Amino acid sequence: MSKIDKGNFHESVVSISNNDIFLSVDKFPFKTSLSLSPLIAYWENKEKTDPSCNPARVRELADLLRNTSDLTGTIEQVSVIEKHMETVDILMEDIFPSALWENEMMAAVVPFHFESFYASPKLEDLKLLKGDNYAELLNLDPKTLLFRLTLSAYTLILEKFYNANFSIDEPFIFTVKDKLTGLPRHYKLLIDLKFMEVKAKGEIKKLSAQEINFLINRYNDLDLWMMKLPPENFEFSGFSLYDFTEVTNEETLSSLRLNLLDRSSVSTEEGFLNLQQKLRILFGLPDIRLGFSSCPSLHEFDTSYARRIWNGLVLTQNCDLMLKDLNNSIYEPVLRRGNTIIVEDLKQFANPTRVEQQLLESGIRNLIVAPLVYDKQIIGLMELASPIPGELNALSTIRLKELLPLFALAINRSLGELRNSIQSIIKEKYTAIHPVVEWRFTKAAVNLLEKIERNVSSEIEPIVFREIYPLYGASDIRGSATERNKAIQGDLLEQLVLAKEVILAVKDNLPLSILDELVFKIDKYSLNILNELGSGDEVLVLDFLRTEIEPLFDHFSRKRPAAQAAIQAYRNAINNPYRVVYNKRRAYEESLFMINETISTFLEREEEKAQQLFPHYFEKYRTDGLEYNIYIGSSLLNNGDYDPIYLKNMRLWQLMLTCEIARRIHKLRANLKLPLEITQLILVHSDPISIRFRLDEKKFDVDGANNIRYEIIKKRIDKATVRGSEERITQPGKIAIVYTQQKDAVEYQRYIDFLHSEGYIHEEVEHLEVEELPGVPGLKALRLSINFREELRHDIDAGDELLNIAQSASLN
């Protein structure tokens, strides 16, 4: 066989699992035998190579082994060793030094097995090599354990017969439960093979360098190895030395680090309990409890945002503790000054606060509270607690110090993920950067970064979308200002009446002329409000009641107990945050809210579906009603795929949507405290416009002088009237479609015919001219009457879709 230079082949095997291994056999495929022959060779070699040894003693030991025939050659039964244990003890004295005998965890074992025939007392006590549950102790499935043993045997064959170095870097870690605490302890196994040898049976099969490399690169396929190097061609004899080292702390810390990298470690119950168990192992205390709580900053302590990552001993997500409750407690110096607090026994506190009392009630006597610091900022705290006084002490903080940065990192990462989630919601719900145009903002940001890298002008480029078509709609509360004034008027009158009832209840028993003057003043205010509510009347009346009437109530109660009922009626009526009678205003505001919420919810639902038809820009804003803008066009899209049919479909969809809104509010009126009505308006603009994102206002606005007229119309159209009359073009139960060009009327007449066929509107259509607005002449309008009957051919609440109905129309 041609010589292969040693060291040509290097490969490390790490993290072997049964998901990527191939091994068909179900038991160790190589023949192994126990033999002490290597031990004889060891003593004979020592006599020749170690000048410090006693030659006579060495010869005596070698002769002792030779003269014990049972111990020479292959030993078939371990009982032979037990029979000659005194001799074996003498032979092993150099391998197991007597000075270390009691403390070392060592054993001699049959090659590639875990049954020991000679072991130190401490190892015997641990029972690491007793029984047959080795795979369980090693936290490996039996198949993986067999694979690793077989692969280890092949590494020795490659090294001895083919000069190829190939090692497995993954050690064996045994795990057993501590007798006293019941907690897991971890022991790392180091294997010494100097008393084991591998022999070839017959001629060694030749392998080229390429074949060896081929095998090494396929280390996971041992079926292939067994074909190339059949196990029956090799035998292992002698014994192995197993040396165990406790690595509980190292393994636990390593596992903790991995756990804390997992995003669920501090945010789920399973992750939390896993961390708590690891800390119990690390400290060797089975009953300690873990707690941690986030605190991004003190001013956020009482917010639900900070409490999302609260899994403390008393600071839990459901607790009612506030920041003020921590004053003078053990937590105050931790959060405010970053101190670590050690409490030997909570029962020794002379003046426990509410916090200490809750800790004691939960069975905690002894604890450590430490700050979690990230980037020089306190972002939370960590707690370790015990029911036994003094179990955790100053020495415990030494070990805790190396854990605090890990927990701080995990808490900070979870806070970061929470912030990102919040920002994502804010971005979706509140900012002007609509998802449809987000690509353009991303492009602008990338361009800016490239400019900065090239050291050129770093101003961000303007974002303008040209040649787009606008759709505008508005649902307004009819007479909202009048209804609001009526509500204020009614509440003020009711409060004045209640105040007058109080004065009248005491007037006969307190003959004071000033009381007559107060009644006169109340009547005067009531008459003025009844006729017309002026802009300053509300402030004037409330100031009068609060400064001249209400301060008299306590005096009236003492002088005229019978007036107490009237006084209490007044106080009950103003028992609200505004300290005024608020019945009619509440009815108005609740009705207004229900209308706006109904419109907004329905509009958002249907608009989201419309995005599926064709992506478009959408924004809405509330006034006393609700207005919205829609922009559609190729420049809004990254791919620019646009056709005029989509604009027609969106216009029909908008008209149907407006009808549905009217029908919903019509049904809602029966449930309103104040039966408000809405008017509906659609503005048609056939010519394309440009919009620009205004950085100072963080919103889109029309761009260019030619497009300003569109914005002017939008701002003034809601007060427009029919030419030659005082009648508003917008009326309850109707939809006003305002336009400027006759082709718009022709187009919308088609949509109107379709809506009539669907049952949304009545047949008659009003053709109106709009009274000239300042700077906006020539406007016209179509006005439709909505059909409020219950039956429609389509029912979108039952599953029919506006989009599908609109798409069924012939629009070309």
Side-chain angles (χ1 to χ4, degrees), residues 386-446:
S386 169
I388 302 172
E391 193 170 52
L392 294 166
N393 49 47
L395 292 176
S396 305
T397 62
I398 298 174
R399 182 164 291 169
L400 192 61
K401 281 183 179 178
E402 61 185 320
L403 298 176
L404 293 176
L406 299 176
F407 276 86
L409 183 65
I411 292 291
N412 184 71
R413 187 181 63 252
S414 291
L415 284 171
E417 291 171 356
L418 180 57
R419 290 188 199 101
N420 291 339
S421 298
I422 293 170
Q423 287 301 315
S424 177
I425 294 171
I426 292 172
K427 185 176 181 181
E428 178 186 352
K429 298 292 185 183
Y430 305 119
T431 70
I433 303 176
H434 192 276
V436 166
V437 295
E438 188 172 303
W439 66 270
R440 184 64 186 87
F441 288 83
T442 302
K443 181 179 178 182
V446 171

Side-chain angles (χ1 to χ4, degrees), residues 192-468:
D192 188 344
L193 301 176
K194 65 172 168 278
F195 295 105
M196 188 184 75
E197 57 185 16
V198 55
K199 299 175 184 177
K201 298 178 180 179
E203 185 178 352
I204 298 173
K205 183 177 180 179
K206 294 181 180 180
L207 292 177
S208 67
Q210 290 75 16
E211 287 177 301
I212 295 173
N213 198 50
F214 182 82
L215 288 175
I216 290 175
N217 288 329
R218 289 158 183 78
Y219 68 86
N220 60 321
D221 188 354
L222 290 188
D223 287 339
L224 175 64
W225 285 60
M226 288 194 293
M227 288 175 58
K228 292 288 185 180
L229 299 169
E232 57 268 21
N233 292 348
F234 303 92
E235 179 181 355
F236 294 87
S237 63
F239 62 90
S240 303
L241 289 177
Y242 282 10
D243 190 0
F244 290 89
T245 305
E246 183 170 0
V247 290
T248 301
N249 289 350
E250 294 87 339
E251 281 293 301
T252 305
L253 280 173
S254 176
S255 181
L256 266 173
R257 290 189 183 97
L258 287 174
N259 290 150
L260 289 169
L261 287 174
D262 186 348
R263 66 179 60 188
S264 65
S265 61
V266 297
S267 58
T268 65
E269 182 180 5
E270 182 183 0
F272 171 81
L273 293 176
N274 188 32
L275 292 175
Q276 180 173 258
Q277 180 66 6
K278 296 289 171 59
L279 289 175
R280 288 173 173 174
I281 296 170
L282 192 62
F283 286 85
L285 302 173
D287 296 319
I288 62 172
R289 290 169 56 187
L290 167 67
F292 50 75
S293 307
S294 60
C295 182
S297 56
L298 284 179
H299 73 271
E300 294 177 307
F301 188 90
D302 295 334
T303 66
S304 59
Y305 160 63
R307 296 176 182 232
R308 285 290 298 276
I309 314 175
W310 275 23
N311 211 336
L313 302 174
V314 291
L315 299 177
T316 63
Q317 291 184 19
N318 299 321
C319 77
D320 59 352
L321 291 171
M322 309 295 283
L323 183 60
K324 60 182 176 62
D325 296 320
L326 302 190
N327 292 340
N328 301 317
S329 76
I330 58 175
Y331 292 95
E332 183 179 28
V334 181
L335 286 175
R336 296 192 185 277
R337 297 188 292 277
N339 297 342
T340 296
I341 301 298
I342 306 170
V343 180
E344 185 173 355
D345 190 353
L346 275 172
K347 279 197 173 180
Q348 301 303 315
F349 271 51
N351 299 301
T353 68
R354 179 185 173 194
V355 172
E356 282 84 35
Q357 289 171 351
Q358 288 189 12
L359 288 168
L360 283 168
E361 288 170 4
S362 66
I364 292 171
R365 296 280 297 275
N366 166 225
L367 79 158
I368 299 173
V369 187
L372 295 175
V373 179
Y374 185 85
D375 200 18
K376 299 181 180 179
Q377 297 291 324
I378 298 173
I379 63 167
L381 55 84
M382 178 178 172
E383 307 149 296
L384 278 183
S386 169
I388 302 172
E391 193 170 52
L392 294 166
N393 49 47
L395 292 176
S396 305
T397 62
I398 298 174
R399 182 164 291 169
L400 192 61
K401 281 183 179 178
E402 61 185 320
L403 298 176
L404 293 176
L406 299 176
F407 276 86
L409 183 65
I411 292 291
N412 184 71
R413 187 181 63 252
S414 291
L415 284 171
E417 291 171 356
L418 180 57
R419 290 188 199 101
N420 291 339
S421 298
I422 293 170
Q423 287 301 315
S424 177
I425 294 171
I426 292 172
K427 185 176 181 181
E428 178 186 352
K429 298 292 185 183
Y430 305 119
T431 70
I433 303 176
H434 192 276
V436 166
V437 295
E438 188 172 303
W439 66 270
R440 184 64 186 87
F441 288 83
T442 302
K443 181 179 178 182
V446 171
N447 292 342
L448 177 61
L449 288 174
E450 290 177 353
K451 290 177 183 178
I452 294 172
E453 290 170 358
R454 296 196 307 267
N455 293 320
V456 297
S457 172
S458 60
E459 289 186 2
I460 195 163
E461 63 194 62
I463 294 178
V464 181
F465 296 100
R466 306 187 190 281
E467 295 290 311
I468 61 172

Side-chain angles (χ1 to χ4, degrees), residues 471 606-607 609-611 613-618 628 630-632 642 644-657 747-748 751 803 806 811:
L471 291 87
E606 295 305 314
E607 191 277 331
K609 297 175 185 176
Q611 290 286 354
L613 171 66
F614 188 80
H616 56 275
Y617 183 90
F618 172 83
Y628 63 89
I630 295 174
Y631 299 112
I632 184 171
Y642 170 79
I645 188 67
Y646 294 115
L647 175 60
K648 293 179 181 180
N649 217 96
M650 286 297 292
R651 284 175 169 173
L652 175 56
W653 169 82
Q654 181 191 24
L655 194 51
M656 296 174 66
L657 182 82
E747 179 181 344
Y748 271 80
Y751 306 152
L803 279 175
L811 301 179

Side-chain angles (χ1 to χ4, degrees), residues 766-780:
E766 297 175 81
H767 294 262
L768 309 172
E769 290 187 1
V770 181
E771 189 69 48
E772 184 170 323
L773 299 173
V776 188
L779 293 179
K780 297 181 180 181

Side-chain angles (χ1 to χ4, degrees), residues 586-603:
R586 183 180 293 108
Y588 170 80
E589 290 177 358
E590 289 179 0
S591 299
L592 182 66
F593 174 80
M594 287 182 68
I595 289 174
N596 281 337
E597 195 65 14
T598 300
I599 296 173
S600 180
T601 301
F602 178 72
L603 179 59

